[in-house]
Amino acid sequence: MGAAGRPKSDKARRAVLAAALELVKDHGYAALTIEGIAARAGVAKTTIYRSWPSKAAVVMDAVFVESDPRLSFPDTGSAREDLRLQISRVATLFTEPGFGKPFVGLLAESQHDPALADALHQWLITARRAGAAEVLRRGVERGELRADLDTDVAIDALYGAIYYRLLVSHQPLSAQYARTVVDEVFVGLRAREDI
């Protein structure tokens, strides 16, 4: 989610985003306030409110805009390898305190904040699912994946395991686990002649 505006200086913007992440890591999302972010960043509250409508918007920018390049989908020529690379990056990012803890806080808050839920849906669901669907579409076109593949179900199977560990079971999450998920799920996605 991009901010509606930007602080007048890029230095102030970076300070606000860094302060928000530090405070979430130190005290959790629920304890985060615009006042606290402003104090930690050394800016006025009005500087923040000119660019972001809420603490959720600040954290969204801090977490997602800063990490977005790491979550892009590669095109290696292999759908399996593209998914292994991207999903392992997601799992690695989720284990980093500067991303994982704020992200979980945003997910929790989105249960009670329709605007935040909509923003998360736009960034997380719509954009990321479109990227994954493109990888799967390329795999079908190249004959790697079944022509009758249900991409929505495939995406749920691939990413659902990662979110389950992050949000429900709290079992260890790692890039290796993510690659294993892709390898296991991929068996059901492959074109018949590859099985």
Side-chain angles (χ1 to χ4, degrees), residues 19-136:
L21 287 180
E22 289 167 11
L23 289 168
V24 170
K25 282 191 291 187
D26 294 347
H27 307 291
Y29 182 83
L32 185 69
T33 64
I34 293 292
E35 292 79 9
I37 296 169
R40 176 74 63 101
V43 301
K45 288 189 309 183
T46 54
T47 299
I48 295 173
Y49 281 120
R50 273 195 302 265
S51 299
W52 296 279
S54 66
K55 72 177 187 178
V58 176
V59 176
M60 286 279 289
D61 265 0
V63 169
F64 297 131
V65 173
E66 301 302 317
S67 64
D68 199 48
R70 295 173 59 188
L71 298 178
S72 63
F73 287 85
D75 185 359
T76 64
S78 162
R80 180 174 171 264
E81 192 57 26
D82 292 350
L83 292 167
R84 289 179 97 233
L85 288 169
Q86 201 277 336
I87 294 175
S88 66
R89 288 183 203 149
V90 169
T92 298
L93 197 56
F94 283 171
T95 64
E96 295 175 8
F99 184 92
K101 195 171 182 179
F103 179 66
V104 170
L106 286 171
L107 289 176
E109 186 68 18
S110 74
Q111 302 304 303
H112 312 287
D113 182 337
L116 177 58
D118 184 57
L120 279 170
H121 189 271
Q122 293 292 326
W123 183 86
L124 183 66
I125 306 299
T126 304
R128 297 294 163 229
R129 285 184 81 91
E134 176 62 18
V135 169
L136 295 172

